[in-house]
Amino acid sequence: MSTATDILNSLEQHSLHNLTISNLKNELRFRKLSTNGNKIELISCIVEDSNERNNEGTLNDLTIFRMQSQKNDGTFPDKTELLKEIESLRKQVELLSNRLRQPPPPQIDPSIAAVLATLIEIQKQLLDRQTNQNVIQITSTNDTANLIQIFKGDIIDNAFEWIKEVERISTLAHWSNELKLTNAISRLSGSAKNWQLTTGKNFNDWTVWKTAFASRFKRRITMQEFLAHQSEQKMKHSETLVDYIYAKDALLEKAPFTIPQQDRISKVIGDVTEEKWQIALATQNSDTIEELIDRATSLDAIRSVKQENKKQ
């Protein structure tokens, strides 16, 4: 008889057809995959992922992670599914009872006994769930983890501020330390990801991992390095003014010193590559970045119209 794990890790679509849409979506969330689509599409997504993991030799790892997740989360079956299963079991008992034409023997029919035993266990699970209804259970979604900024390990990246942001999001989402570590690792790129593959993989505890991580990437950017780095970010021809200002302002926010609003505005306008738009922004005498963005929104509408006219 196939176990639940065998079914979920199956490489054939027909093996998953008996699962409910709720079961399929839970498995997709566990694998951090999209839950959009009908049942056939959900099954196809799971099987495709299982085949990829099988080819990579990591399919068995998924089973281990699933067991650890169930152990750590202490999840309960969905209440609606439990009630449906109880009703189904009751019908089985009634059907089996009706089949017994002869007076009941001294001992209960084994098939009815088995169904009743399952029914009692399901009811016990439902009672446990209701008893623990005040316990907060949080499932981390891919969207929640995506709130963490990508950390590349560049000189502009601040390891301490990044870890603080991970901690903040983790607190709001009620992540366990294990889930916090998993989500943090998923947001690494560049040299930071390479560090994880060679060194960070040896640390399975969040506190130990973040200490080692901060120690490796603790170097703070100097003022000279920052000024040189920010001057390289100029407005691209394909960018809108608003997108450019947001990106530039986010970079200036990482400065190792506080940049006054007027100086920040000056640096933003100074790196607008098209002179006519640079002048248009400069003549508005904006006092804040927000005011500058409001003006840029109007200018983007004008730029869009002119670009369309050129195409015609």
Side-chain angles (χ1 to χ4, degrees):
M1 179 180 293
S2 298
T3 64
T5 296
D6 293 334
I7 294 173
L8 291 172
N9 288 356
S10 175
L11 304 179
E12 301 292 338
Q13 293 192 12
H14 65 80
S15 301
L16 280 72
H17 279 290
N18 289 333
L19 297 180
T20 65
I21 291 180
S22 177
N23 295 147
L24 296 171
K25 288 189 175 182
N26 285 338
E27 179 64 14
L28 287 166
R29 291 189 190 99
F30 172 72
R31 300 183 185 214
K32 299 188 182 301
L33 299 173
S34 171
T35 58
N36 296 329
N38 56 35
K39 185 173 183 179
I40 298 300
E41 292 170 335
L42 299 180
I43 292 174
S44 177
C45 186
I46 292 175
V47 172
E48 182 179 346
D49 183 65
S50 294
N51 278 285
E52 289 181 2
R53 292 175 184 270
N54 186 53
N55 293 335
E56 296 170 356
T58 61
L59 189 59
N60 289 335
D61 294 341
L62 190 65
T63 302
I64 296 172
F65 293 150
R66 187 183 291 109
M67 294 174 64
Q68 291 177 341
S69 175
Q70 292 173 348
K71 180 180 178 182
N72 293 334
D73 292 344
T75 56
F76 294 95
D78 181 74
K79 182 176 180 180
T80 303
E81 294 298 326
L82 285 172
L83 293 174
K84 288 181 179 178
E85 188 165 355
I86 288 173
E87 182 61 26
S88 174
L89 290 169
R90 283 176 177 164
K91 290 181 179 179
Q92 291 183 48
V93 171
E94 183 179 352
L95 179 62
L96 290 170
S97 297
N98 292 335
R99 290 179 179 175
L100 297 177
R101 299 180 179 178
Q102 300 298 326
Q107 293 184 346
I108 190 170
D109 184 90
S111 58
I112 296 180
V115 173
L116 287 174
T118 304
L119 177 61
I120 292 171
E121 180 61 27
I122 294 295
Q123 289 176 324
K124 183 177 180 298
Q125 291 184 27
L126 181 58
L127 179 61
D128 289 340
R129 179 183 177 89
Q130 292 172 336
T131 302
N132 293 277
Q133 61 183 354
N134 292 326
V135 177
I136 298 176
Q137 179 185 334
I138 300 296
T139 301
S140 173
T141 64
N142 196 39
D143 289 341
T144 307
N146 285 343
L147 294 175
I148 304 173
Q149 289 188 348
I150 295 292
F151 188 94
K152 298 181 180 179
D154 297 337
I155 59 172
I156 197 66
D157 290 330
N158 187 319
F160 295 99
E161 291 298 325
W162 185 79
I163 289 175
K164 283 172 59 178
E165 183 66 5
V166 173
E167 296 276 18
R168 184 187 70 81
I169 295 173
S170 172
T171 299
L172 294 174
H174 300 279
W175 290 342
S176 64
N177 281 340
E178 291 80 5
L179 190 54
K180 188 191 308 183
L181 177 59
T182 299
N183 287 335
I185 291 173
S186 72
R187 304 303 290 167
L188 300 180
S189 179
S191 59
K193 185 175 183 179
N194 291 332
W195 172 85
Q196 171 61 28
L197 294 173
T198 56
T199 304
K201 66 179 182 180
N202 298 316
F203 309 118
N204 296 320
D205 177 79
W206 165 250
T207 302
V208 176
W209 184 89
K210 73 175 181 179
T211 301
F213 179 83
S215 177
R216 169 61 182 82
F217 297 101
K218 65 182 178 181
R219 177 179 176 273
R220 294 181 180 274
I221 189 172
T222 65
M223 183 183 299
Q224 183 177 1
E225 287 173 331
F226 173 78
L227 292 174
H229 184 79
Q230 70 85 25
S231 65
E232 294 175 358
Q233 182 164 347
K234 300 183 183 297
M235 180 178 171
K236 302 180 181 66
H237 181 72
S238 58
E239 261 184 323
T240 65
L241 287 165
V242 171
D243 287 344
Y244 158 72
I245 294 173
Y246 274 126
K248 186 74 170 183
D249 189 51
L251 176 60
L252 296 174
E253 188 65 29
K254 296 181 179 181
F257 53 91
T258 300
I259 303 178
Q261 281 286 313
Q262 285 303 318
D263 290 344
R264 186 175 293 203
I265 290 171
S266 177
K267 291 181 181 299
V268 169
I269 294 176
D271 285 327
V272 174
T273 51
E274 294 184 57
E275 186 178 4
K276 60 182 177 181
W277 304 118
Q278 184 184 72
I279 294 173
L281 283 174
T283 55
Q284 298 306 305
N285 296 322
S286 302
D287 293 325
T288 64
I289 289 293
E290 287 73 19
E291 291 180 7
L292 189 66
I293 290 173
D294 288 341
R295 176 54 181 162
T297 302
S298 301
L299 293 177
D300 275 334
I302 298 173
R303 291 178 71 215
S304 177
V305 171
K306 290 190 174 183
Q307 289 172 355
E308 287 297 324
N309 290 338
K310 285 183 179 180
K311 290 179 182 179
Q312 296 175 359

